[in-house]
Amino acid sequence: MIDSKPDKVSDDIYLPFVETLFRDGFTLAIGIFAQSALITLVWLNTDNPAYLAVLVCLLLVGIVRLVNMRKINAHPPATTRAGARKRENYYIIFGAMHGAALGCFSLVAIYSAENSFSETAAVCIALATATGIAGRNYGSPRMVNILVIALTLPMALGFILRGDFFHVALGLLSIPFLLAIRRYATTVREVLFAAISQQSRANGLAERFNRALNTMSHGLIMLSRDGRVVVANGQAAKMLGMPSVESLLGRTSGSLLRRIAAAGLIDRDESEQVSAQLTKNLREGIDRKITISLSDGRYFETSARQGRDRLDVITFEDVTQRVLAEERIRAMARYDDLTGLPNRHYFHELLEVKLAEGNPQRLCALLVIDLDDFKSVNDKFGHPVGDGLLYEVAKRMASIKGDVTCSRFGGDEFMIFYNDVKDLEQLSEIAQNTFAAIEGKAFVAGNEFHIKLSIGIVCCAASTFDIDTMTVKADLALHVAKTNGKARWQVFEPRIDDAFRTRQRLIEDLRVAVDQCGLSVVYQPIISADTMRVVSCEALCRWHHPELGVISPSIFIPLAEEIGMISAISRFVLRTATAECAKWPEWIGVSVNLSAKDFREDDIVETVMDALANSGLCANRLDVEVTETALLDDKLGAAAKLLVLQSKGVHIALDDFGTGYSALSYLHKLPIDKIKVDRSFVSDIATSEHSLKLITGIIGLCHSLGKTVTVEGIETFDQLAALLPAGRPETLQGFLFGSALTGNGIKTMSNAVWHFGQKGSIGSKSANSGQ
């Protein structure tokens, strides 16, 4: 049972209940008129002044009641429980007065029993009024109770006061009758309350549904089984270009799509395809989304599914931002963000598609392009300027005509794929056209640059074109082009692959040799120009490959620098040379070369001192040779480390003087004890007076700065004969005095003295032999 007591009823039901009390003033006026007319007839019939008094009271109460009702109806309905309660109280006060007047009439008419007409009139008024209690006053249980009491008690009291059995019984029986009327009013109220409650809940659900429907971010329409719209939200109307939700109702999904097509947002054919697909999805029960691209740049995603209550649901969602974001992500995954060219992976995909098309026997070419000396641009001008130069290269690359696909592989490396090459002779034309399109002046951020390229090219039939393999081969050809002087192009040849494989094998074997002490050290004698005795030796690293034999230092030293193992080799030579020198006579020292990379190591000083400490060799017997390149890379850092070594007693020698930048400031500012003049100054001193004067001048300059001099590359007697009288360096070095020897070989010949023989011969003899 639903509790309909006023204090239990919610505001959304109680407020409308109270308003029903004032809803129909016309029927109330008719009732008052009929009641007044009947009482008037009774008064006229009996001429009893009591009826006149009741009539006057009824008319006054009725007029006041009708005026109050009209006044209340002139104002808006109550919006609060307190306001509604106040209105109900007014209604009860005037209604109670109305009921009291009618009750007085019934009491007087029945008790006085003047005639049967007055009694009949009293009963008629009571019954007629009782029948209207439930219909008019169900909104106020208090009013129902008051009216039932006001009509029942006076009438029952009148019958009972008559005194006889039958009238007393009639009076008592009237009470249950009127109580039944009260019960009937309560039942009506409860039924109405239940109906209103259900309606209120339904309205609440409908409002929430409507609010949810119209606050959805996507459009929604529901179709009946005949395919027509029965429910839609505002977003659907907006997205479909309809003026209102009502304009969608009754239309089919196909007609809505045709309307979009009529507005020029999609093609008519596409609208038919989408309509057919939605119908198919509904028929097969497939919840599959369909993306529609509109001509104004928007993207809609629609889906159809079977709903409950035999209603099908179609949703429209504006996915423009999501699609654009996906396209941006796809572009980021496929294209280089700097140049806009396809990246490595997408280039691979594009080539796979192109290679699968056309004649499989056609020739295709792949070009790997590298900017010459691009690193210097980044180092000098910064990466933003370097990026600007790369963008300019990509823009020029895009101007290349023909069936080509361009890509940036990373850094300053680009690739171009030619999908159809007539013959191998055309490769030269392709290379020249590429140079012409890209090379030349470029202005970036106010700076002028001259773009230069090196190109590696590989060409083969489309049917045998493996992208990864061809990329490796083009890279090898590029490496050859850069090795041969840059700003040139090279077509891949099998010999390049052979050389590469040999080189890779040497690299791997060199790693093993360094790790497993597979290298050795030999020593080239350095001779005193005054005594012609061995006073020092230059430690040289040698590698005897177990299969390839002796590998020249000119081959494996650059490889070691490339793979970052030169420092390990330097440390090996340093440890070996100091340990071996400690076994020689004390007047013989040793000279060890350290690379530019060695001086970039923070612990190079500790490494040298540890080698001396472990070998027991005096620091003044060790010469550390550095090149001009090492000093140029980090002048201040290298100078600081050399100064520390020099303070420990180690001698510092500048090797290959004259082959690099040969800045004289090195001789003046850096902690250098000895200058080793390169062999290039010695080669023709026996035949060229100019060359002799040049080397003599260099020696004199070094002497004037307090440096000792070693002249390298003495290979003939004539060179020695020309040099000694003119220049007089402190020490000499070259094959004239013998090739490099083992440590034991140096120890054996430590007492040998070189002497001049007749007719230019040169030999040696033991200092203690007496010869």
Side-chain angles (χ1 to χ4, degrees), residues 679-692 719 722:
R679 64 180 65 248
S680 60
F681 292 97
V682 180
S683 58
D684 61 347
I685 59 174
T687 57
S688 172
E689 184 178 351
H690 174 76
S691 297
L692 182 60
Q719 291 173 339

Side-chain angles (χ1 to χ4, degrees), residues 522-529 532-540 542 590-593 623 625 653-656 674-680 682-683 685 695 709-716 719-720 723-724 729-741 746 754:
V522 295
Y523 307 90
Q524 186 171 34
I526 298 176
I527 309 301
S528 170
M532 285 297 163
R533 296 179 64 182
V534 178
V535 292
S536 186
C537 294
E538 181 176 359
L540 303 173
R542 292 293 184 263
V590 69
S591 181
V592 177
N593 289 279
D623 288 357
E625 296 187 11
L654 181 61
D655 195 17
D656 298 333
K674 181 186 297 186
I675 304 297
K676 298 189 74 172
V677 180
D678 187 70
R679 64 180 65 248
S680 60
V682 180
S683 58
I685 59 174
I695 193 171
V709 178
T710 297
V711 176
E712 299 179 296
I714 306 297
E715 298 180 354
T716 67
Q719 291 173 339
L720 180 62
L723 177 63
L724 288 181
E730 281 75 13
T731 52
L732 306 166
Q733 184 177 349
F735 287 116
L736 179 63
F737 307 104
S739 59
L741 303 172
I746 294 296
W754 274 261

Side-chain angles (χ1 to χ4, degrees), residues 227 251-259 271-272 275:
R251 293 176 177 268
T252 64
S253 59
S255 67
L256 294 176
L257 290 170
R258 286 192 292 274
R259 178 180 176 85
S271 72
E272 296 296 336
S275 178

Side-chain angles (χ1 to χ4, degrees), residues 601-660:
E601 302 290 339
D602 294 335
D603 63 345
I604 184 61
V605 174
E606 289 76 5
T607 299
V608 173
M609 300 314 296
D610 287 345
L612 291 173
N614 292 334
S615 64
L617 185 68
C618 294
N620 61 6
R621 294 178 62 186
L622 174 64
D623 288 357
V624 170
E625 296 187 11
V626 295
T627 61
E628 296 178 45
T629 303
L631 298 175
L632 185 65
D633 285 349
D634 184 12
K635 184 177 179 180
L636 294 178
K641 294 167 184 174
L642 291 174
L643 192 60
V644 174
L645 289 174
Q646 191 181 56
S647 67
K648 302 291 186 180
V650 177
H651 299 293
I652 310 300
L654 181 61
D655 195 17
D656 298 333
F657 180 78
T659 59

Side-chain angles (χ1 to χ4, degrees), residues 8-65:
K8 300 291 185 178
V9 178
S10 61
D11 289 355
D12 58 339
I13 296 178
Y14 175 69
L15 298 183
F17 265 28
V18 172
E19 293 303 317
T20 62
L21 301 175
F22 302 92
R23 183 173 297 167
D24 193 2
F26 179 71
T27 57
L28 178 63
I30 292 176
I32 293 173
F33 173 76
Q35 293 165 357
S36 300
L38 188 57
I39 294 174
T40 301
L41 291 176
V42 173
W43 173 56
L44 293 175
N45 188 340
T46 62
D47 198 27
N48 188 341
Y51 295 121
L52 179 61
V54 171
L55 176 62
V56 171
C57 290
L58 178 63
L59 289 174
L60 289 175
V61 171
I63 292 171
V64 172
R65 191 177 184 189

